[in-house]
Each structure stands twice: as C-alpha cells, then as structure tokens.
Amino acid sequence: MSPTSVHHFRHQCLLQRWVTAVQGYLTLQSTICTNPPMIQNPRRKYHAKAKEMSLTQINHVLKANEYSLKSNGYDGRYNGSVKGFDSNILPSNSPCEDRRSAATCLQSRSMLFGVFDGHAGSACVQAVSERLFYYIAMSLFPLKTLTEIEEAVESERPVLPVLQWHKHPNDYVSTDAGKLYFNSLRAYWQEMIELHEDDDSDVQTALRNAFKRLDNDISLEAQVDFGVPFAHFTPLRVALSGCTACVAHVDREDLHVANLGDSRAVLGVQGDDGRWSAVTVTNDHNAHNQDEMQRVLSEHSSSERKTVVRHGRLLVLLIPFRAFGDIKFKWSGELLNRIYEARPELLIGNENAKMLLPNYHTPPYLIADPEITYHKLRPQDKFLILATDGLWELMHRQTVVQVLGEHLSDMQWKKPVSGLCFTVGQIHRLLQERKSRAFSALEDENSATHLIRHALGSDGSGSVEPKRLSKMLSLPQDLARMYRDDITIIVIHFNS
C-alpha cells in the first residue's frame, strides 16, 4: 500500500473506533436513564474513599459555632428560672439557611430563644431572626413604655436598649435594611399607642400579634420598596424566600412557645426514679399533622381538595404549612405577575420564583399565625430543646432527651455494676461503652454540640462511632445535603 493509502486506512480505523466509543457511551447513558437501580450509589462510593478525620478536626468542625451562657449569679440580670443555655449550628447548605437568636428583655428580665429554618434562600430567615424579638418586646411593653420610647425618638433623645443579645461572633448581622426595619417597627408601636391597646394583654396575644405583624410588614415592604436590583437582602428577596420559627419566651416559671412550621420544642423531664422522658411542646405544621391538614383544606373550596396538598406538600412545593415570607403562596396572582414584570432579574436562576404555582386559585395558602403553647415549669423540668428539623430527621425526641439527660447526669457510665452477673466479654463491652461515654462527656461541655455529635455519629446503641462521625462531617458540599439538613439547636437549662 502506498503511504497515502496507509494514512487513509489508519484514519478510517481511528474514525471507526471513535464511532464505536460514542455508540457505547450513548448505550450506557440509555441504560443509566432506563435502569437507575443498577448504578452504584455515588454516596456509598464516596464513603469507601473518604479519608477519616482526626479527633481534633472533628471537634474543630463541631465546635466552630457553639455558644454557651451560664446565668447563675451573673449580676442578677437574667431570668431566675433559666440556669443557662447552649446553642450550636452545623451547616449543610451553602450558605446556611438556619439561624438562631437568644436575648434578654431588659425591661422584664424575661428571656427569648428562637430557631429559624429558611428555604428558597437565606434572606427571609436572616431578616426574621434579627427582627422578630423586637416585635415581641414591643408587643409586651405597656402603653406607658411605648409612649416614652416614641417621645424619645421624636425628640431625638437616646432610647434605652430593649434587648440584650447573646450572639456568637459567627452569627451574621445584616445592616443594609436597618433604617427600613426601624421605620416598620416604629409604625407598629405608634399604631399600638394610637389604639390605646390594653396594658394587660397576655403573652400569648403578644406573641401572636408580633408574628403576624412582622409577616405583614415583610409583605408591605416588598410592595413599596423593591430595593437595589441583584442585592442579596432586598425587601422583595426577603419576601420571596421563607422561614419557619420556633420561639420560647421564659418568664420565671411561665414558659410560652410559639411555633410556625416544622421545627420543634421538646421538654426534658426527669422523674423521681431518675428516668428521662420527652414532652413535646409543639406540633409540626405539615401533612403529617391531620389537624393541620384539615385546617388547610377547610380554608379553600371543595374543588381544590385534591390540589391544595399533593405529595405531602403545599401546592406540590412547600413542606411546612405555616411560615414567614413566601409571598408566592400568599399574594394574589395579579400582584405576583406585576412584581415579576417589574423585576425580571429575580427570575434569573431562581427556580422557586418562576411563574405562578400550579392550581393557584384562592390565595393565601400559607399563614404566619403561630400555634402557642403554655407550660408552667416544674422542678422535674430540667431543660428545653429547640431545634430545626435537621435534628429531628436524625433522632427521635425520646432519644434526644435520653442522650442529653444521661450526658448531664452521667448516669450510665458511673452506675455501679456490683451484684450483677456478667461474662468477661460483657464486662469488656461495658467498660468500652463507659469509656466512650466518659470521653464524650468530657469532650462536650456544650449540650447542643453533644446532640449534634450523637445525631451524626450514633452507632444505634447510645455511643458515638468515630468513623461514622468522620464520614458525615467530611462529606463534600454537593453530597452533604443528601444526608442531612442544616442543624440548629438551643438547649435551655432550668433551675430546679
């Protein structure tokens, strides 16, 4: 064969190999699409290759956002029933869509605690975590105090602080909309002054009014002031995203919990026999709550019964049935279309904002009216856990209370074993378990951190498996959300 012919022959061979490879690839893709169960789970593949973290690395991740405050004997400033609190956040989403807040009301010495779980972005959860406690404080103030505040602002005199915040340095604070937020809050207290509302309004009414008024202000701000295009926390972006909230108000022995969505408050109770029990203080507002399902269905026409909630989600999209923001579930279709036409850049890369939701006929479908529970604290009530659903998806409430109760009392690993019959193997396992529990107890002075450690690393028998914990914490960002949500916990310790 001539050189030219040889070259041509080689070219034809290479071309044929390329065609064969492409056909093979296309065949493989077709197989993947039609038979997904045959493909190995990429998460398992990652786990097999993941490099185990050292104890120092594990603790660095777990403790990066932990915060504790012990109020015993601290200047007499804090609530007598609250001994202190621990909190922590472990992100999964980037940016994290959970927030936490804790503050002392300086007028009454009562304390406020809250966990907030955002969705469709972090704008709404950031705004609510910063603003809600101010609305609650104003709702609790007597008319005389509100009048004094207004006179001081009007005459440009200093206003005494309303709240003392207890924040971790990593807790983000937005300053872009400070003036707007203050003006809305001022309008609220001016309205209460003009209406001469009763000074003796109870805490439940104050909490409900604060929640509903803040949500209403978020909606109004989005309609009046569109803000700077492409900014992260414009009023419209705040209103288009959403968040749930679980807030506790503690005033001496009076505990009120206001809940909106699917975060939870659970009370840790220790009986006379030393055993721990979990008392759920809140109800989830989602499709698993039949009373909540009936409420949602009753608020819309019978023709919508099959479309209001589908696949356990509100209008096939939203899991919680109560939330702040989320105007795409609250505003009229006409108003939503007008906003989208005026701000088309909001639709860029925002799947949640695109067009009206299907079967959107009789809004609002979502409310921000909290369910409020009252509990009179007793000596056996040792702690209250507020946590976003990231914790409850991984641990049952009784397990959470048991793990934390044992951690606080050191009951398990200090219990004597004399008088019991054990084999050598059983004694060895018991000593290993006690060693693990003792080590864990010494590692975590922060109760919230201790719960996160167990939620991610539990071996199912009450101990933490270091390898499992390492794998859960070392997951890359794009895989972490497949295994868990953001986890935010506040543990409030009570004086007996």
Side-chain angles (χ1 to χ4, degrees), residues 71-72 77-83 109 251-252 494-495:
S71 58
N72 267 354
R77 186 178 306 175
Y78 299 118
N79 193 304
S81 59
V82 176
K83 189 161 57 175
R109 308 302 182 195
D251 188 4
R252 298 173 179 82
F494 297 122
N495 280 317

Side-chain angles (χ1 to χ4, degrees), residues 2-13:
S2 65
T4 304
S5 299
V6 172
H7 178 76
H8 178 72
F9 177 77
R10 289 176 177 172
H11 177 76
Q12 288 293 91
C13 289

Side-chain angles (χ1 to χ4, degrees), residues 51-55 58 436 439 453 456-459 463-474:
K51 182 179 179 181
E52 187 172 343
M53 299 172 68
S54 68
L55 177 61
I58 288 173
S436 173
F439 176 74
R453 189 184 297 272
L456 299 183
S458 174
D459 62 359
S463 298
V464 173
E465 173 54 52
K467 289 185 178 180
R468 175 178 173 80
L469 182 59
S470 171
K471 289 176 181 178
M472 291 295 284
L473 290 176
S474 59

Side-chain angles (χ1 to χ4, degrees), residues 328 340 346-358:
K328 54 187 173 292
Y340 292 155
L346 290 171
L347 305 181
I348 300 174
N350 189 347
E351 295 295 327
N352 295 299
K354 290 182 178 178
M355 68 185 70
L356 291 179
L357 298 172

